Structure formats: structure tokens, C-alpha cells
Amino acid sequence: MSARKRPATIVVVMGVSGSGKTTIARSLADRLGVTYSEADEFHPPENIAKMESGVPLNDQDRLPWLRSIAAWIHEQERADVNGVVTCSALKRSYRDLLRSGNDGVWFLHLAGSREVIGNRLAGRTGHFMPASLLDSQFADLQPLEPDEFGYTADVAEDAETIVEKALTAITAVSEAKADPT
């Protein structure tokens, strides 16, 4: 009887806009030596235009975007390639879609107060997501539930600390996958 091959681990760095997803995901991918993908690149032009105009996306708008990210995750797992991808993944249903058929999905939720993240967004330039949409993201946000595979980090900590804690959690998961007894 052959052992079941463990799936590749795909880390989805999630959180509201301004939580530091890109910074943390890039650093995590570099430290892990794995492929990285930015969720913003999966948005259709209509979604970007809608957000730029200050209109929040709804579930119908997000569905094709989420399906594209889920397909990327599936491609990585099928190729047995570990990876890191950013995605707000605000709702449980979105995370369920991302992990559907993708056994190795692990979420790193970058959580913080409205004040901390609002201050970050106020200083950010060159991004299509205006700070005015932050309240709509917090309204949609459903934090990771106990049965979800992942870790929640406090964005009030510095990026290096968040990455170190995430690496420790990922290492524990990888070791558990390697020795399922």
C-alpha cells in the first residue's frame, strides 16, 4: 500500500486592504523559496474600474476573481509546487471556494484595527483601492474560524515578526503533513 502524497502547501495571505498582504506575502515567498502571485493581477478590468470609482465589489463581482485565484491554486497543487498568493478572502464562503478541491490551502489572516489599517491606507499611493472602501471591507470581514486551516497575525507587529510567526506555524503544519501518525 503506497502512502498518500501530501498536497503542496499554498499560503493565502488574507485581510482587508491595507493590512500588508503584499509586503508579508512577498517576504514569506522569498523566505520559503516558493512562487508568489498577487491577487490584484487576477481582477478583471471591470472590478478595478468599480473600485477606483469608490464602489465596493459585491459577491457577484468577486466570484470570477476568486475562481481565477482558486484555479491558480489548483494548478500549483497539481504541479506539486508550493506557493504564496494574496487575496482579501474576506468571507468564509470565499475561503471555502479557494480551498475547494485544494487540500493544501493554509490562510494567514493579517488582522488589525480599523484605526491602524486606516492610517496605513491614508499614506498609501498608487493603488486602485481607495481608503473610502475600507469600511465596506470590514463589514464583509469574517475572521478565520477555529476549523479553518491557518493562523491570524496582528498587523500592529512589524513585518519581520509576522513573517517569523507565520514561518513557525507553516513549519508545524508541514511537519504534521510529513508525519500523519
Side-chain angles (χ1 to χ4, degrees), residues 25-89:
R26 283 183 177 153
S27 180
L28 201 52
D30 286 346
R31 295 280 301 276
L32 292 168
V34 300
T35 189
Y36 163 75
S37 195
E38 172 62 48
D40 288 346
E41 296 172 9
F42 291 88
H43 272 299
E46 303 81 34
N47 283 7
I48 292 172
K50 191 171 184 178
M51 287 183 282
E52 282 178 332
S53 69
V55 178
L57 299 179
N58 59 35
D59 289 349
Q60 186 177 356
D61 296 325
R62 289 185 180 114
L63 190 57
W65 173 66
L66 291 164
R67 285 183 178 150
S68 294
I69 296 167
W72 181 88
I73 292 169
H74 184 71
E75 288 170 13
Q76 302 310 300
E77 285 194 343
R78 191 176 62 228
D80 196 29
V81 175
N82 295 330
V84 176
V85 63
T86 59
C87 178
S88 55

Side-chain angles (χ1 to χ4, degrees), residues 92-167:
R92 169 74 186 243
S93 62
Y94 302 169
R95 297 187 298 273
D96 288 345
L97 190 151
L98 294 174
R99 74 177 143 245
S100 177
N102 299 315
D103 294 334
V105 176
W106 186 87
F107 294 95
L108 173 57
H109 177 195
L110 302 178
S113 71
R114 166 71 174 84
E115 181 182 5
V116 167
I117 294 174
N119 287 339
R120 287 181 177 190
L121 277 180
R124 183 166 79 171
T125 59
H127 194 276
F128 60 81
M129 175 76 172
S132 63
L133 294 182
L134 184 58
D135 288 334
S136 70
Q137 289 210 327
F138 270 108
D140 283 348
L141 179 62
Q142 297 170 345
L144 287 177
E145 295 179 23
D147 66 324
E148 292 186 274
F149 198 41
Y151 174 77
T152 300
D154 183 351
V155 301
E157 294 186 305
D158 64 273
E160 185 58 31
T161 300
I162 293 170
V163 170
E164 285 299 323
K165 287 181 176 182
L167 287 169

